[in-house]
């Protein structure tokens, strides 16, 4: 039986492989440039346009001696499976910043001060001084976003969370993408998995900003 031989009808040049490999390398190089240089560089430029080199001096937080007992009583009632409500005034919300453990990104007492409550918009208005890294992360330098931040209190499957709804920096306009990025972060997120705080937060079913305080309720 005659042996069948396959004879190519077109020419193949070794240069084709080089072209293909060059294209792959170019695509990979673009991804690396976009991920590790362009995005951080673009973000760095946006931050530089609105941030300052030094943090704002936030007001001192006045002590509220009865707050710890108020929180302890609320937690005990919640853990006993009984209905409970908790109302926190502006002064108590600020004192709570002192009591809150470090969630991994620093303590909120160095970043935020609650100054007003807007019941109509359901927002907590704060003075803020948020540390923001530079593109050269190895230098461990920080800049600060000094201004006002509004927080909305949203209910999640694991309890209430505080999320950015608006950011104002005097004399500056923040890029929309920067604000959207900030809105993705939940400020109570670090505490939702806390062994003692988490279960209490999860038991809360309703959170409402009122003119004289933030009302938390374990019943709808």
């Amino acid at each position: 039986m005659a042996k069948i031989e396959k004879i190519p009808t077109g020419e193949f040049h070794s240069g084709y492989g080089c072209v293909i490999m060059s294209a792959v390398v170019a695509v990979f190089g673009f991804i690396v440039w976009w991920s590790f240089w362009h995005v951080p560089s673009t973000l760095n430029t946006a931050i530089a346009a609105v941030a300052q080199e030094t943090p704002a001096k936030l007001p001192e937080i006045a002590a509220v001696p009865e707050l710890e007992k108020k929180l302890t009583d609320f937690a005990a009632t919640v853990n006993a499976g009984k209905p409970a409500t908790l109302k926190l005034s502006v002064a108590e919300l600020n004192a709570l910043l002192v009591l809150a453990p470090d969630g991994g990104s620093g303590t909120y007492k160095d970043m935020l001060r609650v100054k007003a409550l807007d019941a109509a918009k359901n927002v907590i208005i704060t003075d803020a001084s948020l540390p923001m890294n530079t593109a050269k992360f190895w230098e461990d330098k920080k800049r600060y976003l000094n201004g006002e931040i509004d927080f909305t209190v949203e209910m999640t499957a694991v309890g209430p969370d505080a999320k950015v709804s608006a950011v104002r920096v005097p004399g500056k306009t923040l890029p929309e993408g920067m604000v959207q990025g900030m809105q993705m972060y939940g400020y109570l997120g670090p505490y939702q998995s806390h062994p003692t705080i988490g279960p209490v937060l999860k038991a809360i079913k309703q959170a409402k900003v009122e003119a004289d305080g933030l009302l938390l309720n374990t019943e709808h």
Side-chain angles (χ1 to χ4, degrees):
M1 182 176 180
K3 183 178 180 180
I4 300 175
E5 294 185 5
K6 294 183 179 180
I7 301 174
T9 57
E11 295 184 357
F12 176 80
H13 194 282
S14 60
Y16 293 170
C18 293
V19 171
I20 294 172
M21 287 304 298
S22 296
V24 172
V25 169
V27 171
F28 178 74
F30 174 77
I31 293 172
V32 171
W33 171 78
W34 179 266
S35 301
F36 294 98
W37 173 250
H38 175 72
V39 172
S41 179
T42 302
L43 181 59
N44 182 62
T45 300
I47 292 173
V50 298
Q52 298 180 20
E53 296 297 321
T54 56
K57 184 173 177 56
L58 299 174
E60 293 294 326
I61 295 177
V64 183
E66 65 274 15
L67 178 59
E68 288 195 56
K69 183 179 186 306
K70 186 174 180 178
L71 295 173
T72 300
D73 291 345
F74 176 73
T77 304
V78 168
N79 291 331
K82 299 177 181 178
T85 59
L86 177 68
K87 194 164 192 176
L88 298 168
S89 66
V90 167
E92 289 173 328
L93 287 169
N94 281 318
L96 192 58
L97 295 175
V98 178
L99 296 176
D102 188 334
S105 300
T107 56
Y108 290 158
K109 69 181 178 63
D110 297 325
M111 304 180 196
L112 301 168
R113 288 295 182 278
V114 178
K115 67 177 184 178
L117 302 172
D118 189 331
K121 296 181 179 179
N122 198 41
V123 300
I124 300 171
I125 304 170
T126 71
D127 284 326
S129 185
L130 301 185
M132 311 189 83
N133 290 328
T134 67
K136 299 178 181 179
F137 58 88
W138 58 87
E139 293 183 350
D140 195 28
K141 290 184 179 179
K142 296 240 181 348
R143 292 162 296 185
Y144 297 86
L145 188 70
N146 298 327
E148 285 185 343
I149 296 181
D150 294 348
F151 290 93
T152 57
V153 182
E154 300 180 0
M155 294 306 304
T156 73
V158 287
D161 204 350
K163 292 191 175 182
V164 172
S165 62
V167 184
R168 295 176 292 277
V169 175
K172 306 288 185 180
T173 300
L174 271 69
E176 184 177 348
M178 183 184 294
V179 177
Q180 289 176 343
M182 295 174 68
Q183 290 173 334
M184 295 173 64
Y185 177 76
Y187 273 65
L188 293 183
Y191 309 117
Q192 290 172 341
S193 58
H194 190 279
T196 55
I197 300 175
V200 176
L201 288 175
K202 189 174 182 179
I204 296 171
K205 303 303 179 185
Q206 185 182 58
K208 183 180 179 183
V209 176
E210 299 186 340
D212 58 346
L214 172 65
L215 180 64
L216 304 173
N217 198 329
T218 59
E219 296 184 312
H220 290 288

